[in-house]
């Protein structure tokens, strides 16, 4: 079960059924890293954090623990926080390890699908770093329709003490494109059309009104308006008419849905690759992912659709969105 010791990236999935199986496999992964003096990030649900601390005999200086409930509060921020951690600990060529698990069974179908797309993108996003990534999945609660996606997004599977190639593994870009579907807006949705840059002010006013009606406070609404405006600007620059934005609810989520008649994004990884901070464009989808709980981008015969999905505010909950720094302990 030994992991690489060179500068390559390794990305494996563990499909486990109970606590002993988790503790044996993940514990061995962490102990091997500690023996090699590697820094380790473990972002897993609270119950699994307790299992790990029990396996390790408590906190260990070389292991940073993060509760998945906050770390994966927003999928895009989880990617950003992981990249920041890798830059801090692996930029000098030092090999590191990551254990990454979120409670997929507690996610909406849109969030669970977005997480699998993020898993596919990880094979490219983390490629520059000498990192070993182990992604445990509790099959006792994993929705059955997600298991094929787990095997398609991980080049290798950990089975007991054996590592086997995943026969279903798919090219990340192909997986993301095929795992992204258009969901049409409800006919009763509030909407606004736009066709020129001068229309952005009206789009922002429309969004602020809709978000206020949905219960979002000023701070949270401002961030979502800025993110949606970036997507609208993308549609103006790269799409074609007709262009429209809808706002509606989907279960516990509020959806900002932007459509244009263009051919879509040339690179399916556009929403997952951090843009050059000095670039003057190309930030739209990346910023959108930071501001909402999940983002979907897909193209079909009706045009190109981008949906920003954000959980509706809970009564009495404090205003504000978690920042990147809040994702790590």
């Amino acid at each position: 079960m030994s992991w690489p010791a060179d500068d390559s990236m390794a990305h494996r999935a563990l499909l486990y059924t109970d606590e002993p199986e988790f503790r044996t496999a993940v514990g061995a992964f962490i102990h091997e890293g500690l023996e090699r003096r590697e820094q380790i990030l473990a972002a897993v649900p609270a119950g699994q954090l307790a299992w790990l601390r029990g396996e390790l005999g408590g906190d260990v200086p070389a292991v940073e623990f993060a509760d998945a409930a906050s770390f994966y509060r927003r999928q895009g921020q989880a990617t950003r926080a992981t990249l920041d951690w890798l830059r801090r600990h692996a930029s000098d060529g030092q090999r590191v390890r990551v254990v990454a698990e979120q409670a997929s069974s507690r996610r909406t179908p849109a969030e669970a699908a977005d997480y699998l797309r993020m898993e596919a993108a990880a094979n490219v996003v983390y490629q520059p770093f000498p990192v070993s990534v182990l992604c445990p999945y509790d099959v006792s609660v994993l929705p059955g329709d997600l298991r094929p996606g787990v095997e398609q997004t991980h080049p290798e599977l950990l089975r007991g003490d054996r590592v086997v190639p995943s026969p279903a593994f798919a090219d990340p870009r192909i997986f993301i494109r095929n795992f992204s579907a258009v969901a049409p807006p409800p006919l009763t949705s509030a909407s606004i059309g736009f066709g020129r840059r001068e229309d952005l002010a009206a789009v922002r006013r429309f969004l602020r009104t809709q978000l206020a009606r949905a219960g979002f406070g000023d701070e949270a609404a401002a961030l979502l308006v800025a993110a949606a405006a970036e997507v609208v600007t993308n549609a103006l620059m790269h799409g074609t008419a007709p262009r429209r934005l809808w706002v509606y609810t989907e279960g516990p989520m509020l959806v900002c849905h932007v459509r244009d008649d263009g051919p879509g994004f040339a690179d399916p990884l556009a929403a997952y690759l951090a843009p050059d901070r000095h670039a003057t464009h190309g930030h739209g989808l990346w910023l959108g992912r930071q501001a909402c709980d999940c983002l979907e981008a897909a193209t079909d015969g009706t045009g190109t659709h981008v949906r920003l999905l954000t959980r509706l505010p809970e009564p009495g909950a404090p205003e504000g969105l978690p920042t990147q720094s809040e994702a790590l302990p």
Side-chain angles (χ1 to χ4, degrees):
M1 193 176 66
S2 182
W3 290 70
D6 56 16
D7 61 356
S8 62
M9 176 201 173
H11 188 204
R12 298 173 186 170
L14 167 68
L15 295 161
Y16 69 94
T17 57
D18 54 26
E19 178 182 348
E21 188 175 1
F22 177 96
R23 290 179 64 154
T24 297
V26 181
F29 174 73
I30 291 179
H31 282 299
E32 183 183 82
L34 293 174
E35 290 172 3
R36 295 182 180 181
R37 299 184 182 279
E38 297 174 358
Q39 291 293 312
I40 301 164
L41 169 64
V44 298
Q48 284 79 340
L49 282 178
W51 295 351
L52 282 180
R53 286 190 167 104
E55 185 68 21
L56 298 173
D59 288 341
V60 178
V63 182
E64 293 186 40
F65 294 103
D67 188 339
S70 57
F71 191 85
Y72 289 106
R73 174 69 175 85
R74 282 178 168 77
Q75 315 268 35
Q77 288 194 343
T79 300
R80 183 175 176 179
T82 304
L83 281 171
D84 286 346
W85 188 86
L86 289 172
R87 292 186 185 106
R88 289 199 305 272
H89 296 289
S91 291
D92 59 356
Q94 173 63 44
R95 190 160 194 88
V96 297
R97 298 186 177 219
V98 173
V99 183
E101 178 184 7
Q102 67 163 277
S104 300
S105 62
R106 299 180 183 178
R107 292 295 196 176
T108 65
E111 290 175 299
D114 194 41
Y115 183 58
L116 285 178
R117 290 192 295 270
M118 190 170 74
E119 285 275 50
N123 293 291
V124 178
V125 174
Y126 304 144
Q127 190 64 48
F129 300 96
V131 57
S132 300
V133 183
L134 178 60
C135 300
Y137 285 85
D138 183 352
V139 295
S140 69
V141 296
L142 181 70
D145 58 345
L146 294 185
R147 180 161 182 164
V150 173
E151 297 177 352
Q152 288 176 285
T153 55
H154 293 80
E156 297 177 324
L157 305 175
L158 185 57
R159 293 177 176 168
D161 60 355
R162 295 187 305 116
V163 176
V164 299
S166 175
F169 179 66
D171 177 275
R173 288 177 168 84
I174 294 174
F175 178 86
I176 291 171
R177 193 179 296 280
N178 292 342
F179 209 66
S180 303
V182 169
L187 295 177
T188 56
S189 305
S191 70
I192 184 172
F194 58 95
R196 305 173 303 162
R197 283 186 174 275
E198 291 77 6
D199 295 332
L200 274 172
V203 168
R204 289 191 177 97
R205 287 194 298 271
F206 167 79
L207 278 170
R208 282 193 291 268
T209 298
Q210 298 302 318
L211 291 170
R213 289 176 178 171
F216 286 88
D218 291 343
E219 182 183 350
L223 185 56
L224 289 172
V225 168
E230 289 283 345
V231 177
V232 167
T233 300
N234 272 351
L236 287 168
M237 292 180 62
H238 306 293
T240 58
R243 304 176 181 89
R244 198 159 197 87
L245 179 144
W246 293 264
V247 177
Y248 52 92
T249 58
E250 185 176 285
M253 313 291 276
L254 180 128
V255 184
C256 294
H257 183 152
V258 178
R259 174 205 172 274
D260 68 75
D261 205 36
F265 304 96
D267 187 356
L269 286 171
Y272 304 89
L273 297 173
D276 186 322
R277 66 183 60 189
H278 302 297
T280 57
H281 58 84
H283 297 259
L285 293 181
W286 174 259
L287 291 176
R289 287 188 65 78
Q290 310 307 307
C292 64
D293 287 303
C294 68
L295 182 147
E296 301 174 336
T299 301
D300 67 1
T302 67
T304 294
H305 300 252
V306 177
R307 301 202 316 156
L308 306 173
L309 293 90
T310 305
R311 287 189 176 271
L312 291 161
E314 297 180 5
E319 187 198 349
L321 303 175
T323 64
Q324 166 198 342
S325 61
E326 291 172 334
L328 286 171

